[in-house]
Amino acid sequence: MSKTQDHADIKEMSFEQALKELEGIVERLEKGDVELEHSIEIYERGEALKLHCDGLLRKAEAKVEKISLDGNGKATGTEPLDVEE
């Protein structure tokens, strides 16, 4: 199986699904009881999951808007949220 096939399912995952699997991979790697070759494979999958999560977060941040308030604290509209990179 090629790496592309191994990670194709990640594109369909929600943020929560990808994060849960990534947490499982980190836990397995931290335990250190995984054979070297398998460690490399799951590390690569973890990297793909991380990139997927990062992309989903960036999309979510782009959709978030900041509510503008007037001097009396009354909502006057929205503007894009300034996100520091």
Side-chain angles (χ1 to χ4, degrees):
M1 229 186 302
S2 76
K3 288 180 187 176
T4 304
Q5 289 175 328
D6 288 349
H7 307 310
D9 63 314
I10 292 173
K11 292 179 185 175
E12 304 302 317
M13 289 182 169
S14 69
F15 176 81
E16 290 78 9
Q17 291 169 322
L19 185 60
K20 184 175 182 174
E21 185 175 340
L22 181 56
E23 288 170 344
I25 288 172
V26 169
E27 186 177 313
R28 289 178 68 193
L29 290 172
E30 284 178 343
K31 285 182 182 178
D33 59 356
V34 181
E35 293 181 15
L36 179 61
E37 189 63 34
H38 190 61
S39 292
I40 294 168
E41 290 173 11
I42 64 173
Y43 177 86
E44 290 172 348
R45 181 162 176 87
E47 183 64 25
L49 287 162
K50 178 191 168 296
L51 291 172
H52 179 64
C53 287
D54 286 346
L56 291 175
L57 282 174
R58 273 188 254 110
K59 286 180 185 178
E61 287 173 344
K63 292 179 183 178
V64 173
E65 294 181 328
K66 180 171 51 175
I67 298 172
S68 303
L69 304 175
D70 65 14
N72 297 321
K74 207 171 198 183
T76 60
T78 61
E79 59 188 72
L81 179 67
D82 295 326
V83 179
E84 294 180 23
E85 299 214 14

